[in-house]
Amino acid sequence: MFLEQDPPVFKEGLFTDYGKWMDGWESRRKRQAGHDWCIVELGAAGIIRGFDVDTAFFTGNNVPAIGVMGCHCPGLTMPAGISGTSGKMGTCATPEDITKADEHLKLVEWVEVLAKSPLHSGYEETRHNYFWVTHEEPLTHLRVNYYPDGGVARFRAYGEVHFKMPRPVEELIDFAASWHGGAAVAWSNAHYGAPRNCLAPGRAAKMDEGWETARNPHRPEVLQAGKDGLVTFDYAKDWFIIKLGARCAVEEIEIDTNHFKGNFPESCLIEGMDDPWLAERPLLTQMQFLNPARAANPRGWREVLPRTRCVAHAQKYFRKSEGAVHSPGPVTHLRVTIFPDGGISRVRVFGRHCAHVAAKL
């Protein structure tokens, strides 16, 4: 439960056969040698930049201290016969299984990512425990160590996906996808939903799994259409920038307004920029470099998808082969602009990998 995407909640008066129901992972009170731990398989291999260990609502039963080890071992599994827990409340691994698991995990090279660090209790002002990480190598799994036991509501590992380009590349790849290294690095507004949601796997299950901006407070009382038939939205636009997983030539774009039925944008525009030097920098550096003041100004942005009308609650595809997508050459970043505001649930950018170069073009 401590990996759930939604924020933790507290349910007053809700008890189970094992005690008070808590939204997170709470281990039983330790009554034998050792400490509690779990193995977390990351969604994709990546370089960890920091952790947020949220002890929300664990005010008298939070974990006193936590440590994290990491390894790069794609396909890591436990051998047959080691059951561990069933994943259900009230279950635990036997001492024999713990011993077997420890012996098996010793076959993997683990590195210390976070030394044993104290945690604060789950009151609102102290619940978030933030830790920076300096390890620079990609990891696939984390071993989260509780010292010695207790509860954590949410465990977040923030970092950058380390996407290894398959060779040879025969099929189109979604270079905006988060699991391929795509990331949102700058945006104008994220009032109702973060731009990174647009890069998540699958279609959005509900509206708040997309990106939605606030209504512009300076919108005119009466909207007027221009000569091209599009409403003139000179007063407002919102945007976000995608750092693509690799330098590519764009062949196809998908814009999905799933669940946005009365709050979808009137139109959208997508532009590309080719800056391999910037694309190689850590994401935090790119976010600082592409802050809103800088990103809104011209930086060699070239049109990839001309301003195009959006429709409600639908997937729309735009292909280079049909003339809808322009070809400005290789790109490393895309700027998605919506007029004047509203929401998009997903953006997919399919293309072909282009050879990387060392200098800015």
Side-chain angles (χ1 to χ4, degrees):
M1 289 174 66
F2 79 159
L3 302 180
E4 292 288 338
Q5 179 178 349
D6 293 334
V9 297
F10 185 78
K11 296 184 179 181
E12 185 72 37
L14 178 59
F15 284 81
T16 74
D17 291 340
Y18 307 100
K20 179 71 181 72
W21 182 90
M22 298 295 291
D23 193 359
W25 173 38
E26 181 182 8
S27 65
R28 61 182 62 187
R29 302 185 188 215
K30 203 72 175 169
R31 296 294 185 261
Q32 61 191 37
H35 62 86
D36 292 319
W37 54 269
C38 73
I39 303 296
V40 176
E41 181 181 3
L42 300 176
I47 299 173
I48 304 298
R49 299 298 184 189
F51 298 112
D52 174 12
V53 184
D54 185 356
T55 58
F57 309 116
F58 288 94
T59 56
N61 52 348
N62 61 283
V63 177
I66 199 169
V68 182
M69 305 290 288
C71 73
H72 186 273
C73 187
L76 175 65
T77 58
M78 288 295 180
I82 300 180
S83 60
T85 72
S86 66
K88 295 181 180 179
M89 184 180 298
T91 63
C92 68
T94 65
E96 293 76 19
D97 275 354
I98 293 174
T99 299
K100 292 177 181 178
D102 273 328
E103 290 300 317
H104 177 70
L105 292 173
K106 287 179 182 177
L107 301 175
V108 178
E109 182 179 354
W110 294 86
V111 296
E112 185 176 75
V113 181
L114 176 67
K116 183 170 65 175
S117 303
L119 298 180
H120 299 291
S121 59
Y123 296 103
E124 184 60 34
E125 61 273 16
T126 58
R127 56 182 275 196
H128 289 286
N129 299 268
Y130 298 106
F131 304 100
W132 286 100
V133 172
T134 58
H135 185 73
E136 290 290 335
E137 297 299 320
L139 304 171
T140 59
H141 295 76
L142 301 176
R143 176 169 173 158
V144 181
N145 295 310
Y146 279 10
Y147 295 108
D149 56 26
V152 168
R154 295 292 185 270
F155 177 80
R156 305 292 190 221
Y158 295 101
E160 303 170 29
V161 171
H162 186 263
F163 176 54
K164 187 175 181 180
M165 186 66 58
R167 299 185 184 213
V169 181
E170 297 179 354
E171 297 183 357
L172 295 179
I173 293 177
D174 180 5
F175 285 92
S178 58
W179 62 97
H180 288 161
V185 292
W187 50 88
S188 63
N189 188 291
H191 191 82
Y192 293 113
R196 66 173 179 269
N197 293 344
C198 292
L199 315 181
R203 297 193 76 192
K206 53 188 188 301
M207 188 184 299
D208 65 355
E209 292 184 10
W211 169 52
E212 183 181 1
T213 68
R215 298 192 192 209
N216 190 282
H218 305 298
R219 57 191 182 277
E221 295 179 355
V222 179
L223 303 182
Q224 302 290 338
K227 294 181 179 179
D228 57 2
L230 297 177
V231 175
T232 302
F233 287 110
D234 295 338
Y235 68 91
K237 60 184 177 183
D238 282 314
W239 53 266
F240 79 96
I241 294 177
I242 305 170
K243 191 279 293 184
L244 299 174
R247 189 170 183 254
C248 71
V250 179
E251 298 283 341
E252 180 179 320
I253 293 175
E254 174 193 334
I255 302 293
D256 189 357
T257 56
N258 195 27
H259 304 295
F260 291 98
K261 301 175 181 178
N263 50 351
F264 61 96
E266 185 269 347
S267 56
C268 70
L269 163 71
I270 298 182
E271 301 160 289
M273 176 180 69
D274 187 31
D275 194 336
W277 177 87
L278 181 61
E280 290 180 341
R281 307 280 76 78
L283 285 182
L284 288 177
T285 301
Q286 295 189 51
M287 294 175 77
Q288 293 169 354
F289 197 82
L290 292 170
N291 62 60
R294 287 181 173 179
N297 295 326
R299 283 187 48 81
W301 294 104
R302 294 169 291 173
E303 192 174 83
V304 177
L305 178 68
R307 182 176 169 182
T308 304
R309 284 186 181 274
C310 294
V311 296
H313 188 54
Q315 288 174 291
K316 298 287 288 184
Y317 298 92
F318 307 93
R319 298 179 176 88
K320 177 182 174 182
S321 60
E322 299 172 354
V325 171
H326 293 182
S327 180
V331 292
T332 57
H333 299 74
L334 293 181
R335 180 170 62 183
V336 180
T337 302
I338 59 173
F339 299 87
D341 49 44
I344 293 174
S345 64
R346 294 290 187 270
V347 176
R348 306 295 188 206
V349 180
F350 299 95
R352 302 188 189 279
H353 181 238
C354 295
H356 212 68
V357 293
K360 179 180 176 181
L361 298 181

